[in-house]
C-alpha cells in the first residue's frame, strides 16, 4: 500500500483566502475599525441587509466595504461612509429625517429602522428609475416598519419644502456648499450631515440664525447635480 503524502491543498487555499463575508462579518469589521459605535445603528445594520439593495450581479460583493454600481452611473454608498455619517447624525426614534440622494434606498431603510414606527423618513432622488428601485427594495423588507418612508423624485438641492421642517437632514451626494434651502428647512436643535466636495460637514442649528459647523476630511462622493446652492 502506498501512503499518500499530499499536503491537503484545500486547507491551504482556505488559509490563504479571507474568511467568507456575511452581513455579520461586515458589521464586526465596522465596529472593530471604530466606524460603528451606537447600538441602535448597529441593530439597524443587522436588520437592513445591504445585499437586498444591490442588483443581482452585485450580490456577491454586497458585504465588501466599497461602493457598488446600482445603474444610471450611480453607486450604493460605501458601508464605512454610511456608518460614519449615521454615527454623526444620531437618528432617534420618532424623528422626521430628509434623505437626499436616496439611490438604492439602503440608507433610507437604515434611517427608517432608527426612527421607528413613530418617525418619518423622506427620500428624494433625481433619477426616477432609482426612486422606483428604492421603493421596491424597502417595500419588500420586513425588518423595517412599513409606511415610515416616502420617496419623491426631484432635485434634493432644494430640500423638500412640502414636508419641512426636519429634525435632521442627510445627503449622499456632494454639494459644493450646503444649500440654503436645507438650512431653512431644519428645525432649531436639528442637524445636517452632508458631503461638501471631499469632506463631510456637520451643521447644528443652535437658534434661528446660528449654525455650528464641523468638518471631517478624506471621503469621496458622487456629485449633487443641479440647483443653486447656498454660501457655506
Ligand atoms: N444612499 C444611497 C446613495 C446613492 S449615490 C445608496 O446607498 O444607495 C447618491 C445619489 O444621489 C444618486 O442616486 C444620485 O442620483 C442622487 N443625486 C445626485 N444629485 C441629486 C439631487 N440634486 N437631488 C436628488 N438626488 C440626487
Amino acid at each position: 500500500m502506498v501512503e499518500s503524502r499530499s499536503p491537503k491543498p484545500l486547507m491551504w487555499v482556505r488559509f490563504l483566502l479571507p474568511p467568507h463575508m456575511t452581513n455579520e462579518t461586515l458589521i464586526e469589521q465596522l465596529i472593530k475599525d471604530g466606524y460603528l459605535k451606537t447600538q441602535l445603528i448597529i441593530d439597524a445594520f443587522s436588520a437592513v441587509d445591504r445585499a437586498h439593495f444591490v442588483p443581482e450581479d452585485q450580490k456577491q460583493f454586497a458585504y465588501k466595504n466599497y461602493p457598488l454600481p446600482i445603474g444610471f452611473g450611480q453607486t450604493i454608498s460605501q458601508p464605512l461612509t454610511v456608518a460614519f455619517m449615521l454615527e454623526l447624525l444620531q437618528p432617534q426614534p420618532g424623528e422626521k429625517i430628509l434623505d437626499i440622494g436616496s439611490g438604492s434606498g439602503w440608507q433610507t431603510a437604515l434611517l427608517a429602522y432608527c426612527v421607528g414606527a413613530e418617525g418619518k423618513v423622506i427620500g428624494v432622488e433625481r433619477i426616477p428609475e432609482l426612486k422606483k428601485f428604492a421603493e421596491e427594495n424597502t417595500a419588500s423588507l420586513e425588518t423595517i416598519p412599513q409606511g415610515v418612508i416616502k420617496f419623491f423624485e426631484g432635485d434634493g438641492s432644494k430640500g423638500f419644502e412640502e414636508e419641512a421642517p426636519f429634525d435632521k437632514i442627510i445627503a449622499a451626494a456632494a454639494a459644493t456648499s450646503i444649500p440654503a434651502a436645507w438650512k431653512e428647512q431644519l428645525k432649531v436643535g436639528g442637524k445636517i450631515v452632508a458631503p461638501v466636495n471631499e469632506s463631510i460637514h456637520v451643521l447644528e442649528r443652535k437658534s434661528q440664525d446660528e449654525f455650528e459647523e464641523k468638518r471631517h476630511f478624506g471621503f469621496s462622493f458622487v456629485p449633487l447635480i443641479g440647483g443653486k446652492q447656498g454660501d457655506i
Side-chain angles (χ1 to χ4, degrees):
M1 195 173 107
V2 183
E3 204 182 293
S4 165
R5 289 165 59 88
S6 80
K8 295 192 181 150
L10 266 176
M11 275 181 65
W12 282 103
V13 171
R14 274 202 206 109
F15 178 71
L16 292 169
L17 285 173
H20 183 61
M21 290 291 285
T22 62
N23 196 32
E24 284 68 38
T25 58
L26 172 65
I27 293 167
E28 275 166 30
Q29 194 61 45
L30 290 169
I31 295 172
K32 196 166 148 257
D33 294 345
Y35 289 104
L36 277 180
K37 297 173 194 153
T38 305
Q39 195 56 51
L40 181 61
I41 302 173
I42 295 170
D43 292 346
F45 268 77
S46 302
V48 181
D49 193 320
R50 191 172 185 242
H52 193 76
F53 293 83
V54 296
E56 210 53 51
D57 62 345
Q58 297 297 322
K59 292 224 189 278
Q60 57 182 315
F61 310 117
Y63 308 121
K64 302 270 186 196
N65 206 348
Y66 44 71
L68 297 170
I70 52 172
F72 312 94
Q74 303 304 322
T75 52
I76 185 169
S77 307
Q78 185 176 9
L80 77 79
T81 308
V82 173
F84 186 75
M85 292 182 78
L86 290 183
E87 287 286 349
L88 291 171
L89 193 74
Q90 286 294 319
Q92 298 296 320
E95 285 183 340
K96 187 176 189 180
I97 301 184
L98 178 63
D99 183 34
I100 294 161
S102 42
S104 67
W106 180 45
Q107 179 169 275
T108 328
L110 290 163
L111 288 167
Y113 182 92
C114 293
V115 301
E118 304 300 313
K120 204 164 182 188
V121 184
I122 307 296
V124 181
E125 170 56 53
R126 60 180 274 274
I127 299 176
E129 291 86 350
L130 287 180
K131 180 223 166 205
K132 191 163 169 278
F133 183 53
E135 267 169 348
E136 288 164 359
N137 291 340
T138 51
S140 57
L141 194 69
E142 287 162 5
T143 50
I144 55 166
Q146 290 300 309
V148 167
I149 301 177
K150 271 203 233 164
F151 288 104
F152 295 91
E153 181 196 325
D155 177 6
S157 67
K158 300 186 180 84
F160 198 73
E161 187 64 53
E162 293 89 324
E163 292 279 349
F166 300 98
D167 293 294
K168 287 170 184 167
I169 299 176
I170 186 165
T176 48
S177 63
I178 299 280
W182 299 0
K183 292 162 69 186
E184 284 156 18
Q185 293 173 20
L186 188 69
K187 289 182 191 170
V188 171
K191 195 193 271 189
I192 298 173
V193 176
V196 174
N197 301 319
E198 303 289 287
S199 61
I200 294 170
H201 289 207
V202 180
L203 232 68
E204 286 187 68
R205 188 168 201 170
K206 295 292 175 189
S207 69
Q208 195 58 29
D209 312 312
E210 260 177 297
F211 288 83
E212 195 177 278
E213 195 200 76
K214 289 199 186 97
R215 297 179 183 191
H216 302 265
F217 295 94
F219 293 86
S220 136
F221 294 89
V222 300
L224 185 80
I225 310 290
K228 193 179 169 331
Q229 290 162 19
D231 55 359
I232 274 206

